[in-house]
Amino acid sequence: MFKWLPIFPLLFLPASNVSNHVISDVNIGFITETNERGNLTITGVDSSLINKKEIRVYYSENNTIDEIADDAFASCTNLKTLMLSRCVTNITNDAFIDSITKLQYTGSEEEYLLLGINKETIANVDYFACDEGFINYWNENIRPTAEFSICDISNTTFNYLYELYSDLTLADKNIVDNTLDIAEEKIGDSMLVLIDQFKKPQPSKQTYEWEQSGAISFIIIVAVIGMTSICVFFLLKTQQIIS
């Protein structure tokens, strides 16, 4: 029996790590049916999504979509980008249409590979993508517990986090910035702390090389001028131009 998916708040992560920030009007326009697992399967879309170039499937604690049926997006001929929540665990290559050129996955690459999607089906895949994906990464790798200090992360972890943050749209960044993590801190405020710590301007290796090169050049110039002056002095004295 089919039903329209109702409007419900978005809770990004499982109950042990749930974000306090709530978004309404997500996962609207999907035609779904309850599957044998008690979750929802997307079987199609209504007219509000048919002409969309981007469609997002979010995680919801109360109405979890964990499956996308084959040809669920067949009518979405303009669809270019699909955001797929990590809660979707049942999907086949036939669920994708030829117009989709980019997949934004909100989980890790390891989780995505478990889906068994052929790389030739969609070659362009972003991991921990969009607002949901960034918050997933934050709660798992930056602040997994309330007692964890975000300043203890490595440079490599920060660089990846900063790349994810830079790739967010303005709307997604606003959601992320105002989301409270498990320590009841706004992620946006914590990002400013990390950026200040890791992104302070540091002299590059090239700068040091230029400084060393400049010092050596200065010494050489001074030596040349000194030697030239001495030679000129003795030459003039030899010619009895000066006494």
Side-chain angles (χ1 to χ4, degrees):
M1 182 176 181
F2 296 97
K3 62 180 181 180
W4 300 107
L5 193 63
I7 297 177
F8 50 86
L10 169 65
L11 299 176
F12 289 106
L13 301 170
S16 61
N17 221 5
V18 173
S19 163
N20 291 9
H21 193 76
V22 175
I23 304 175
S24 60
D25 299 333
V26 299
N27 291 344
I28 304 303
F30 295 133
I31 302 174
T32 67
E33 63 177 3
T34 302
N35 54 45
E36 65 275 11
R37 294 173 297 281
N39 295 320
L40 300 178
T41 299
I42 296 178
T43 59
V45 301
D46 67 16
S47 58
S48 66
L49 294 182
I50 287 180
N51 294 318
K52 294 289 185 180
K53 293 183 178 180
E54 178 182 345
I55 291 178
R56 296 186 173 192
V57 181
Y58 278 99
Y59 168 77
S60 170
E61 186 178 44
N62 299 320
N63 297 276
T64 301
I65 295 172
D66 70 351
E67 183 175 25
I68 298 179
D70 293 348
D71 301 322
F73 301 114
S75 59
C76 303
T77 55
N78 293 324
L79 183 59
K80 301 295 182 183
T81 304
L82 176 65
M83 191 203 85
L84 192 65
S85 173
R86 61 162 30 148
C87 66
V88 177
T89 55
N90 294 275
I91 188 171
T92 67
N93 290 293
D94 292 332
F96 299 100
I97 56 177
D98 292 339
S99 63
I100 298 177
T101 57
K102 185 173 185 178
L103 185 66
Q104 295 175 313
Y105 186 65
T106 70
S108 67
E109 182 177 3
E110 290 75 18
E111 290 173 304
Y112 177 74
L113 292 175
L114 291 175
L115 296 177
I117 298 172
N118 192 325
K119 290 183 178 180
E120 295 180 358
T121 302
I122 299 181
N124 190 4
V125 182
D126 293 336
Y127 306 105
F128 290 114
C130 303
D131 47 0
E132 180 181 312
F134 185 93
I135 295 171
N136 285 343
Y137 187 81
W138 181 274
N139 287 341
E140 292 169 18
N141 299 280
I142 309 303
R143 180 112 68 184
T145 66
E147 297 76 23
F148 190 84
S149 173
I150 59 173
C151 295
D152 290 338
I153 64 174
S154 67
N155 277 286
T156 301
T157 299
F158 171 76
N159 289 336
Y160 184 65
L161 177 75
Y162 189 76
E163 182 180 345
L164 292 177
Y165 191 71
S166 300
D167 287 341
L168 293 173
T169 65
L170 290 177
D172 285 352
K173 190 171 291 186
N174 183 58
I175 292 169
V176 166
D177 285 347
N178 290 285
T179 297
L180 298 177
D181 62 18
I182 196 169
E184 299 295 318
E185 297 284 346
K186 284 187 177 181
I187 292 179
D189 293 339
S190 297
M191 276 298 301
L192 291 177
V193 172
L194 290 176
I195 291 172
D196 182 64
Q197 175 177 326
F198 287 94
K199 282 285 185 181
K200 288 180 179 178
Q202 297 293 334
S204 65
K205 180 180 179 183
Q206 185 178 13
T207 301
Y208 285 125
E209 291 175 348
W210 275 108
E211 290 176 351
Q212 293 174 350
S213 176
I216 293 172
S217 298
F218 177 76
I219 293 172
I220 292 174
I221 291 172
V222 170
V224 169
I225 293 175
M227 291 298 296
T228 302
S229 299
I230 293 172
C231 291
V232 170
F233 174 79
F234 279 105
L235 178 62
L236 294 176
K237 189 172 183 181
T238 302
Q239 298 296 322
Q240 296 184 345
I241 297 176
I242 62 175
S243 57

